[in-house]
DNA sequence: TTCTGTCAAGCGATC
DNA sequence: GATCGCTTGACAGAA
């Protein structure tokens, strides 16, 4: 089983994707952006390899306006073929399975022909991107069924009809997913019967929208399994949790580990890949991978701790001490307790005092080298935080600048500036 | 330098 | 029929 995350990373240097506005999309500017984004992808792949993350969704925005031939006229696949080859080699070398997922705006069953032809162009773009990497058919392209338009039967028929007219290369990668308001898992399954497309089961969507709420996740995962053939690779699923107090269907900030482990224990023998849909992306992927690793070592937790420690200290001295104590036994691997404590800390809002405490720890990395003027500024900003919580952002921005100026990579690679 | 509004996409609910 | 909300991170111009 592989566990992965979509599109972007939190707290990993040089992995940020760039884009632009249509009106600024000159050929030259697009070239710069594509070059930048492919380099960022390479850095993401390397990060994933280092952290044993074998599943990753590539952002649809990686080639800006790729499916709009009037805006992006570049032959990017050919022009950047060297970078694509290198990326493909890297992906294969590390055994990473990549995928893509056009968003809610790519709709092939619309009654509007213009919408459909743009959607087809978009699918062609995604397919060309994956083909350019040289990855096999197990690298999938995930799509929702689309709209209902007041007549679901007709809408489904249009989906099936358009599907059959798609390029073979697209069809070889295309997978359909249940959504949370229009097409339930049972409806997607019946569309799969008519198209042959494999099905991705999404647990949260199904919890929100299904005609059969009594059926379990395992029931549907088993049911859907037969839509996956050998050439499609391992069955893929999407997993997410509801963010409390948000709109139904909102993805949680982080994967709550106890809830995940309950799910994992039910599905671990079903031979699936799990794509986590969650706001904190790679952080939850690493969390879930370490939590399900029976041969994990304390060293891996110590590495995690080095990234989280100031985030925790900023919120709770008590939890900070508890985690230090927890990691004392070098032969143990208390991974679940560790993440429970991290989650408990992140749930808290930093008080002025605890935030200042963490800030002064971080300041400690540079205070010897700092110029008088910088020391004064730190003092002034700290005093402001003591009076007014809203000033914390200003103080942390200043600290980040200082860490960059004095090359304090230990702090910069931590998550202190990400929370 | 920091903040706020805008972009880009299509559906569907609401007035 | 027109408008807004949904979603998302980053752009882009204002302050």
């Amino acid at each position: 089983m592989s566990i992965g995350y979509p599109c972007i990373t939190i707290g990993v240097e040089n992995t940020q994707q760039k884009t632009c506005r249509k009106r600024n999309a000159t050929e030259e500017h697009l070239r710069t952006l594509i070059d930048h984004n492919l380099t960022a992808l390479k850095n993401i792949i390397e990060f994933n390899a280092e952290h044993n993350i074998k599943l990753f969704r590539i952002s649809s925005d990686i080639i800006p306006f790729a499916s709009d031939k009037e805006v992006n006229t570049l032959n990017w696949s050919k022009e950047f073929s060297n970078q694509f080859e290198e990326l493909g080699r890297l992906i294969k070398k590390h055994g990473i399975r990549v995928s893509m997922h056009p968003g809610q705006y790519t709709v092939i069953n619309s009654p509007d022909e213009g919408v459909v032809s743009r959607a087809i162009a978009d699918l062609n773009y995604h397919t060309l991107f994956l083909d350019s990497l040289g990855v096999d058919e197990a690298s999938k392209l995930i799509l929702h069924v689309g709209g209902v338009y007041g007549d679901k039967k007709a809408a489904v028929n249009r989906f099936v009809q358009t599907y059959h007219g798609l390029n073979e290369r697209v069809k070889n990668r295309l997978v359909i997913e249940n959504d949370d308001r229009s097409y339930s898992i049972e409806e997607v399954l019946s569309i799969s019967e008519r198209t042959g497309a494999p099905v991705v089961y999404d647990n949260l969507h199904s919890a929100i929208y299904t005609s059969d709420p009594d059926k379990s996740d395992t029931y549907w995962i088993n049911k859907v399994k037969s839509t996956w053939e050998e050439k499609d690779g391992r069955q893929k699923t999407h997993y997410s949790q509801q963010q409390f107090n948000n709109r139904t269907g909102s993805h949680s900030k982080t994967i709550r580990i106890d809830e995940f482990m309950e799910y994992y224990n039910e599905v671990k023998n079903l031979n699936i890949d799990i794509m986590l849909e969650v706001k904190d992306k790679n952080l939850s992927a690493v969390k879930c991978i370490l939590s399900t690793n029976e041969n994990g070592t304390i060293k891996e937790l110590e590495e995690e701790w080095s990234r989280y420690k100031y985030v925790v200290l900023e919120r709770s001295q008590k939890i900070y001490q508890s985690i230090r104590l927890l990691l004392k036994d070098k032969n143990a691997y208390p991974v679940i307790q560790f993440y429970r404590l991290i989650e408990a800390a992140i749930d808290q809002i930093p008080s002025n005092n605890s935030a200042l405490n963490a800030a002064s720890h971080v300041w400690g990395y540079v205070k010897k080298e700092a110029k008088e003027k910088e020391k004064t500024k730190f003092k002034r900003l700290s005093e402001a935080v003591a009076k007014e919580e809203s000033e914390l952002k200003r103080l942390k921005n200043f600290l980040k600048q200082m860490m960059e100026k004095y090359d304090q990579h230990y702090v910069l690679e931590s998550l202190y500036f990400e929370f």
Side-chain angles (χ1 to χ4, degrees):
Chain A
M1 173 191 288
S2 301
I3 297 171
Y5 68 99
C7 303
I8 60 173
T9 59
I10 308 287
V12 185
E13 289 184 287
N14 305 317
T15 58
Q16 205 181 34
Q17 298 281 323
K18 283 178 185 269
T19 183
C20 68
R21 296 288 181 262
K22 261 185 176 178
R23 60 177 178 275
N24 299 325
T26 61
E27 280 204 349
E28 211 35 56
H29 189 45
L30 285 170
R31 267 192 195 101
T32 314
L33 293 174
I34 293 167
D35 181 56
H36 172 95
N37 288 349
L38 292 177
T39 305
L41 176 60
K42 181 171 170 249
N43 294 335
I44 291 176
I45 298 296
E46 279 169 352
F47 168 86
N48 289 344
E50 281 164 24
H51 292 83
N52 208 26
I53 299 170
K54 305 287 189 189
L55 191 66
F56 179 69
R57 179 190 302 162
I58 297 169
S59 167
S60 292
D61 298 328
I62 191 156
I63 310 288
F65 305 105
S67 59
D68 191 336
K69 289 279 174 258
E70 298 202 346
V71 179
N72 187 335
T73 52
L74 297 174
N75 187 350
W76 47 267
S77 173
K78 200 173 167 200
E79 198 171 319
F80 294 89
S81 59
N82 288 342
Q83 270 162 282
F84 277 110
E85 270 172 41
E86 192 192 350
L87 278 165
R89 261 200 308 276
L90 206 57
I91 288 165
K92 279 177 249 175
K93 178 179 147 195
H94 294 299
I96 294 171
R97 184 186 196 188
V98 294
S99 63
M100 296 180 93
H101 186 6
Q104 57 185 307
Y105 304 110
T106 304
V107 182
I108 67 166
N109 77 336
S110 175
D112 181 330
E113 284 177 24
V115 171
V116 176
S117 67
R118 285 191 290 277
I120 292 171
D122 202 42
L123 294 179
N124 289 338
Y125 145 61
H126 284 86
T127 302
L128 178 60
F129 189 92
L130 293 172
D131 286 351
S132 302
L133 291 174
V135 292
D136 67 18
E137 283 175 28
S139 281
K140 292 301 184 195
L141 196 49
I142 289 108
L143 186 70
H144 290 291
V145 178
V148 174
Y149 315 94
D151 183 349
K152 193 174 265 187
K153 204 174 160 191
V156 168
N157 285 338
R158 275 198 307 276
F159 182 93
V160 173
Q161 199 185 352
T162 310
Y163 178 92
H164 285 306
L166 293 173
N167 188 303
E168 285 302 316
R169 296 170 90 94
V170 176
K171 279 191 271 191
N172 287 339
R173 296 199 188 273
L174 203 66
V175 168
I176 48 180
E177 180 192 354
N178 60 310
D179 65 75
D180 59 359
R181 62 172 183 177
S182 301
Y183 293 95
S184 65
I185 187 64
E186 49 273 39
E187 290 166 326
V188 171
L189 264 167
S190 81
I191 293 170
S192 170
E193 279 174 26
R194 296 172 62 188
T195 55
V199 173
V200 159
Y201 172 71
D202 183 302
N203 73 307
L204 185 60
H205 291 162
S206 201
I208 295 163
Y209 186 73
T210 175
S211 59
D212 206 346
D214 294 334
K215 297 285 194 292
S216 67
D217 291 329
T218 22
Y219 171 86
W220 286 119
I221 290 168
N222 276 316
K223 184 105 177 160
V224 162
K225 187 167 276 304
S226 62
T227 64
W228 291 78
E229 294 175 27
E230 186 74 28
K231 66 177 174 60
D232 297 315
R234 197 183 284 144
Q235 178 184 0
K236 288 191 74 174
T237 60
H238 288 177
Y239 177 81
S240 55
Q241 297 172 347
Q242 173 70 40
Q243 175 65 41
F244 303 127
N245 304 323
N246 272 32
R247 179 194 62 86
T248 304
S250 272
H251 292 153
S252 61
K253 289 190 182 122
T254 188
I255 296 290
R256 301 179 289 271
I257 197 61
D258 285 313
E259 210 174 309
F260 176 79
M261 290 308 290
E262 213 171 289
Y263 174 84
Y264 173 79
N265 285 323
E266 280 176 28
V267 304
K268 65 182 175 189
N269 297 321
L270 301 181
N271 193 30
I272 55 172
D273 279 355
I274 301 177
M275 178 61 75
L276 303 173
E277 296 189 315
V278 60
K279 304 267 189 239
D280 72 354
K281 311 292 180 185
N282 52 307
L283 304 187
S284 276
V286 169
K287 182 199 282 192
C288 292
I289 289 167
L290 291 183
S291 295
T292 54
N293 181 3
E294 284 165 17
N295 304 310
T297 62
I298 192 82
K299 195 165 162 282
E300 289 165 297
L301 294 187
E302 286 170 344
E303 266 174 41
E304 278 287 89
W305 178 229
S306 73
R307 305 188 76 214
Y308 277 107
K309 61 197 259 191
Y310 296 119
V311 177
V312 174
L313 187 62
E314 189 174 43
R315 287 163 176 77
S316 168
Q317 180 94 37
K318 196 174 157 210
I319 296 176
Y320 183 87
Q321 294 301 347
S322 302
I323 296 179
R324 284 179 47 142
L325 208 64
L326 182 71
L327 299 183
K328 272 215 163 128
D329 181 354
K330 299 305 170 196
N331 296 312
Y333 184 58
V335 60
I336 303 293
Q337 294 101 303
F338 172 75
Y339 282 116
R340 274 183 196 148
L341 288 166
I342 297 277
E343 284 173 17
I346 288 170
D347 260 348
Q348 300 186 22
I349 295 161
S351 71
N352 294 354
N353 278 341
S354 59
L356 279 173
N357 183 32
S360 70
H361 272 74
V362 170
W363 175 247
Y365 283 88
V366 298
K367 78 173 172 197
K368 274 189 189 153
E369 298 166 273
K371 307 262 190 309
E372 275 313 310
K373 212 175 156 187
E374 291 162 350
K375 286 179 184 168
T376 314
K377 188 165 182 186
F378 177 71
K379 193 161 170 259
R380 179 168 57 79
L381 290 171
S382 294
E383 282 163 4
V385 173
K387 289 193 208 110
E388 190 84 49
E389 255 175 59
S390 57
E391 296 293 317
L392 181 58
K393 208 176 158 192
R394 215 181 288 275
L395 174 63
K396 287 179 77 170
N397 282 345
F398 171 68
L399 282 172
K400 192 175 180 190
Q401 281 172 26
M402 289 295 99
M403 298 305 124
E404 279 163 357
K405 179 176 174 186
Y406 295 107
D407 275 333
Q408 295 298 331
H409 284 278
Y410 181 80
V411 184
L412 288 170
E413 283 161 15
S414 87
L415 299 168
Y416 178 63
F417 297 112
E418 306 295 331
F419 279 80

